[in-house]
């Protein structure tokens, strides 16, 4: 219908134009909705859309259209002025003023029609303008035009038929087929059906329906009028005639036309019925109903049955017999019709008897008839109430509210009426229950608790209202069904403060402990499931949801040592809301429990931790705590020894001036310098030179060495001094200048001399403080010591210990000789 033409302007703009490609018809479609899309040439292309709605406006291109172009109507000639004849309907597919229609008569309409009829120009309603006369003209033909203002109007034809008015009475003409006697037709009651009696002819001067006549009798008689020709009817018998029922008929024949209102004409016809012996015996009632109380004595008279016969003489003599299906309990006298019961009646066995009684006349042939005897046995209160069950067992939930329905006791009584009415009561119910005396609904008067009492037993007594009263009882047991109203209770562990040891050698899959819970409910409400809901962040443990066995899932690592607190949840399977309980299981992962009170203290502290926080990470075991204490003790002892050695060294350094004079006197002795090449003195070089005033003797550490001679103990020692002091000791130091940290008479530790007695050899090197485990001594040098070098090289010393804090042990060919003993002081 539409196309899109894109025009490009000189400026480079593109203007889309909507082109109508086919003819538009608003009457077929007045709105078009389209989507216009514009797209650029980029990659990827981008686009935008717009919705375009086109509305088609109307032009007067449609003529009015009559709903019916040919209309035929009937109107009675007595129609009043202004009566509506017909309503013309026309439509125009256009809109607005183009759809406004104007109705008017065409030029072909006669003046007579224009005088009798008028049309509404706007609605098209044709009405009666003047009174009508069918005899003047029985029909009129009208041409009606409908115009919407266009050049060509639409045309419709209306034919008006003037109907007749019923103003003539029908007439009746009777012609007898059976000759009447004194104006009365006689017919035997044995006459067959369709016996013709007379021919009836009816006429009417009116036309159409007003001249169409129907003929009928005014009441129900065993005769009928059968149409045979136009407006002719035959009077014949329609049913068997009965002299005993009706001996004479006065038939009124009515002729009525079909006008509105109809006009009637009637005529009388007398018929007498001749008597014949054709009547069987007749019972006064078709059904004889009797009511008799049960438990009657045998031979009791129930009733007397009688019938009548419209015939006379021998044909009216009757005899009575019982029908073929009559129970043998009854007997009937043939002549008198007295009915008796030969045995006792029992309503509970059979409460109703229905059988036939036949009455026969003595005519030839004999005619007979029968009646139905309906005997209802009345009740006596000879039966006790009977419960439908020998014992009643009801099952109720324990949360049944007070006065809720427990169950229904159903009782029957074979009696009826008042004798079958009964009342119910409870026996030995202890006011725990109540019962509706009429409906038998049992309701609790207490609140159930299955855990307190699981069943209740009592009796229900039923007493009828008959005379004398009869009663019976039945046992009722009410079982209280469990409702999930109890939470699971942990039995193992019995307390949240207990714990279990898990050795580190435990293999994965081994059961380390178990939990066990009980539920006072039963069935599915006591079906328990276990799970670990907290305290197991690394998944080290797992639990069997059924047995509650807690097993080790992963291999125990070093980081797993310590106390683990597992939050165990036990759920029952109750409906609709299951209950659950939490328990804490403490597992202490360690080789052994060396300090039970410590673990118990950990458990106590963990109980103060929220359940949602994991316990067990980073806990310090007692064994680890002991290790920490030992390390702290070693460090403290080492610092103490270092402090003592440092103080002692300072003290010794201050005592050196006293020995300076003695040292000078000994300088003429045998001095031997140690081997410069093989010495094992470690030098600690420093980037900055220190002044002689800053030279310090750091430490002197002497490790006790083993000796085979108990009289002479070899002591290996190490003197730690600054590097500058060490170099000067090798001959480069000017001994004329004494450091401030040495006394003037202190010995030269860089040189050695021989002595007659073996003395330990000292190696001077930088040294760190020694641990307190070693046996350290500091040698107090006497004033008159004479040092003799016993080893030509310090490099021959070999360390006898791998401890970095131990003093290396040297083997020397010679020894120290001193005129006096060397004193040592143990720290």
């Amino acid at each position: 219908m539409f196309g899109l033409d894109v025009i490009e302007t000189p400026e480079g703009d593109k203007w889309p134009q909507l082109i109508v490609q086919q003819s538009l018809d608003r009457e077929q479609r007045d709105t078009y909705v389209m989507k216009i899309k514009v797209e650029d040439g980029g990659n990827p292309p981008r686009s935008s859309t717009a919705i375009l709605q086109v509305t088609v406006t109307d032009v007067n291109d449609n003529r009015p259209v009559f709903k019916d172009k040919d209309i035929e109507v009937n109107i009675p000639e007595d129609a009043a002025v202004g009566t509506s004849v017909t309503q013309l309907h026309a439509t125009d597919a256009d809109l607005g003023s183009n759809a406004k229609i104007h109705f008017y008569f065409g030029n072909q309409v006669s003046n007579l029609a224009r005088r009798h009829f008028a049309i509404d120009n706007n609605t098209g309603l044709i009405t009666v303008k003047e009174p009508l006369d069918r005899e003047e003209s029985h029909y009129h033909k009208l041409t009606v035009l409908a115009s919407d203002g266009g050049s060509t109007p639409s045309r419709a034809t209306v034919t008006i038929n003037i109907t007749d008015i019923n103003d003539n009475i029908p007439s009746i003409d009777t012609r007898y087929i059976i000759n009447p006697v004194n104006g009365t037709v006689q017919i035997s009651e044995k006459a067959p059906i369709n016996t013709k009696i007379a021919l009836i002819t009816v006429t009417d001067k009116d036309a159409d329906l007003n001249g169409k006549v129907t003929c009928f009798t005014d009441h129900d008689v065993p005769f009928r009028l059968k149409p045979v020709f136009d407006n002719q009817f035959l009077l014949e018998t329609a049913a068997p005639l009965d002299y005993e029922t009706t001996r004479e008929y006065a038939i009124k024949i009515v002729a009525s036309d079909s006008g509105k209102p109809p006009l009637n004409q009637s005529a009388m016809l007398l018929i007498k019925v001749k008597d014949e012996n054709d009547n069987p015996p007749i019972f006064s009632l078709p059904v004889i109903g009797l009511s008799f109380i049960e438990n009657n004595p045998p031979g009791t008279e129930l009733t007397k049955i009688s019938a009548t016969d419209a015939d006379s003489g021998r044909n009216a003599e009757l005899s009575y017999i019982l029908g073929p299906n009559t129970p043998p309990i009854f007997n009937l006298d043939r002549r008198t019709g007295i009915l008796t019961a030969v045995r006792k009646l029992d309503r509970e066995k059979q409460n109703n008897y229905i059988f036939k009684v036949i009455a026969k006349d003595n005519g030839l042939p004999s005619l007979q008839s029968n009646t139905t005897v309906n005997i209802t046995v009345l009740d006596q209160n000879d039966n006790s109430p009977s419960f439908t069950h020998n014992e009643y067992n009801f099952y109720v939930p324990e949360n049944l509210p007070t006065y809720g329905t427990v169950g229904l006791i159903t009782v029957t009584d074979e009696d009826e009426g008042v004798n079958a009415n009964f009342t119910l009561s409870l026996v030995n119910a202890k006011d725990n229950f109540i019962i509706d005396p009429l409906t038998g609904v049992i309701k609790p008067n207490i609140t159930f608790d299955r855990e307190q009492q699981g069943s209740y037993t009592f009796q229900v007594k039923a007493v009828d209202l008959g005379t004398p009263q009869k009663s019976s009882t039945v046992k009722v047991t009410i079982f209280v069904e469990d409702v999930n109203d109890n939470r699971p209770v942990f039995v193992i562990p019995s307390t949240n403060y207990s714990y279990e040891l898990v050795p580190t050698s435990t293999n994965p899959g081994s059961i380390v402990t178990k939990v066990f819970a009980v539920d006072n409910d039963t069935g599915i409400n006591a079906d328990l499931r276990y799970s670990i809901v907290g305290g197991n962040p690394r998944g080290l443990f797992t639990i069997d949801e059924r047995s509650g066995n807690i097993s080790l899932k992963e291999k125990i690592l070093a980081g797993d040592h310590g106390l683990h607190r597992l939050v165990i949840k036990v759920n029952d399977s109750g409906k609709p809301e299951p209950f659950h309980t939490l328990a804490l299981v403490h597992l202490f992962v360690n080789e052994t429990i060396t300090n039970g009170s410590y673990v118990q203290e950990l458990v106590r502290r963990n109980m103060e931790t929220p359940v949602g926080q994991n316990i067990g990470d980073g806990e310090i075991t007692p064994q680890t705590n002991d290790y920490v204490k030992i390390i702290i003790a070693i460090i403290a002892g080492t610092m103490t020894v270092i402090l003592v050695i440092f103080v002692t060294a300072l003290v010794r350094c201050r005592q050196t001036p006293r020995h300076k004079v003695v040292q000078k006197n000994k300088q003429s002795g045998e001095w031997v310098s140690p081997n410069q090449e093989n010495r094992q003195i470690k030098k600690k070089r420093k980037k900055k030179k220190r002044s002689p005033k800053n030279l310090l003797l750091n430490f002197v550490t002497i490790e006790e060495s083993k000796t085979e001679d108990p009289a002479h103990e070899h002591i290996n020692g190490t003197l730690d001094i600054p590097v500058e002091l060490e170099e000067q000791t090798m001959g480069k130091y000017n001994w004329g200048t004494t450091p401030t940290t040495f006394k003037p008479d202190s010995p030269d530790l860089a040189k050695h001399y021989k002595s007659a007695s073996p003395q330990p050899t000292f190696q001077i090197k930088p040294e760190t403080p020694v641990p307190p485990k070693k046996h350290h001594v500091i040698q107090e040098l006497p004033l008159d010591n004479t040092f003799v070098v016993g080893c030509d090289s310090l490099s021959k010393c070999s360390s006898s210990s791998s401890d970095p804090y131990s003093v290396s042990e040297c083997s020397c060919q010679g020894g120290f000789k001193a005129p006096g003993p060397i004193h040592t002081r143990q720290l």
Side-chain angles (χ1 to χ4, degrees), residues 396-443:
V396 297
E398 60 178 327
N399 61 350
L400 181 70
T402 305
Y403 304 115
T405 300
V406 172
L408 177 66
I409 300 297
T410 53
V411 183
T412 61
D413 195 318
E414 293 183 356
D415 297 323
E416 65 177 1
V418 177
N419 298 329
N421 295 334
F422 53 84
T423 59
L424 299 174
S425 60
L426 300 180
V427 180
N428 298 328
K430 299 180 180 179
D431 295 331
N432 292 333
F433 299 91
I434 60 175
I435 187 171
D436 190 301
L438 299 179
T439 63
V441 176
I442 298 178
K443 298 181 180 180

Side-chain angles (χ1 to χ4, degrees), residues 297-474:
T300 301
E301 180 180 342
L302 302 179
T303 188
K304 182 179 180 180
I305 299 174
S306 62
T308 59
D309 195 320
D311 296 329
S312 60
R314 186 176 178 86
N315 295 331
E317 295 178 0
L318 304 178
S319 62
Y320 302 94
I321 60 175
L322 293 175
N325 297 324
T326 303
I329 194 173
F330 299 105
N331 183 45
L332 181 64
D333 189 280
R334 291 178 60 90
R335 294 300 176 184
T336 62
I338 296 176
L339 181 67
T340 58
V342 298
R343 292 198 304 270
K344 182 177 67 173
L345 299 176
D346 188 352
R347 192 202 63 81
E348 285 72 35
K349 291 183 178 180
Q350 187 169 350
N351 62 352
N352 185 260
Y353 296 90
I354 300 177
F355 52 91
K356 297 288 186 179
V357 172
I358 301 172
K360 299 176 63 176
D361 61 19
N362 293 328
L364 292 175
S366 177
L367 299 178
Q368 67 179 28
S369 62
N370 59 67
T371 185
T372 301
V373 178
N374 188 343
I375 299 178
T376 301
V377 181
L378 300 179
D379 182 59
Q380 278 188 339
N381 191 25
D382 56 350
N383 293 279
S384 299
S386 176
F387 293 93
T388 56
H389 296 82
N390 296 329
E391 181 178 350
Y392 287 87
N393 294 323
F394 297 110
Y395 296 86
V396 297
E398 60 178 327
N399 61 350
L400 181 70
T402 305
Y403 304 115
T405 300
V406 172
L408 177 66
I409 300 297
T410 53
V411 183
T412 61
D413 195 318
E414 293 183 356
D415 297 323
E416 65 177 1
V418 177
N419 298 329
N421 295 334
F422 53 84
T423 59
L424 299 174
S425 60
L426 300 180
V427 180
N428 298 328
K430 299 180 180 179
D431 295 331
N432 292 333
F433 299 91
I434 60 175
I435 187 171
D436 190 301
L438 299 179
T439 63
V441 176
I442 298 178
K443 298 181 180 180
N445 200 23
I446 59 173
T447 301
F448 291 115
D449 188 350
R450 188 199 61 80
E451 289 72 29
Q452 297 289 337
Q453 185 171 351
S455 64
Y456 299 85
T457 302
F458 51 87
Q459 288 185 334
V460 174
K461 183 178 181 181
V463 180
D464 63 21
L465 303 181
T467 303
Q469 289 185 333
K470 294 183 178 296
S471 64
S472 59
T473 59
V474 70

Side-chain angles (χ1 to χ4, degrees), residues 165-176:
I165 298 301
N166 189 21
D167 52 356
N168 294 286
I169 299 174
S171 63
I172 300 175
D173 180 27
T174 303
R175 295 183 182 182
Y176 292 100

Side-chain angles (χ1 to χ4, degrees), residues 40 92 183 200 234 533 567 574 591 672 730 810:
D40 62 15
D92 195 318
I200 308 298
L234 277 176
V533 297
V567 182
E591 286 297 337
V672 180
M730 295 301 137
C810 299

Side-chain angles (χ1 to χ4, degrees), residues 9 40 48 51 81 113 135 145 163 346 409 417 502 614 622 653 724:
T9 64
D40 62 15
S48 178
I51 302 299
V81 175
E135 287 70 25
L145 301 180
T163 61
D346 188 352
I409 300 297
V502 180
N614 293 327
C653 290
E724 293 85 347

Side-chain angles (χ1 to χ4, degrees), residues 659-721:
H659 303 288
K660 188 174 182 180
V661 177
V662 179
Q663 182 180 359
K664 290 182 179 181
N665 294 331
K666 298 292 184 177
Q667 288 180 355
S668 59
E670 297 181 3
W671 290 94
V672 180
S673 297
N675 192 349
Q676 296 287 337
E677 297 178 357
N678 297 328
R679 63 179 177 170
Q680 295 184 358
I681 301 175
K682 296 181 181 180
K683 300 179 180 181
K684 184 177 182 181
R685 302 183 180 277
K686 299 183 179 179
K687 294 181 180 181
K688 296 181 182 181
K689 292 184 180 181
R690 300 180 181 179
S691 61
K693 294 181 180 182
N694 294 330
L695 295 177
L696 299 175
L697 178 63
N698 288 346
F699 298 102
V700 178
T701 60
I702 302 174
E703 181 179 356
E704 182 181 4
S705 62
K706 297 180 181 180
T707 179
E708 297 178 357
D709 189 359
H712 302 280
E713 294 182 356
H714 295 279
I715 300 176
N716 296 333
T718 301
L719 297 178
D720 294 342
I721 61 175

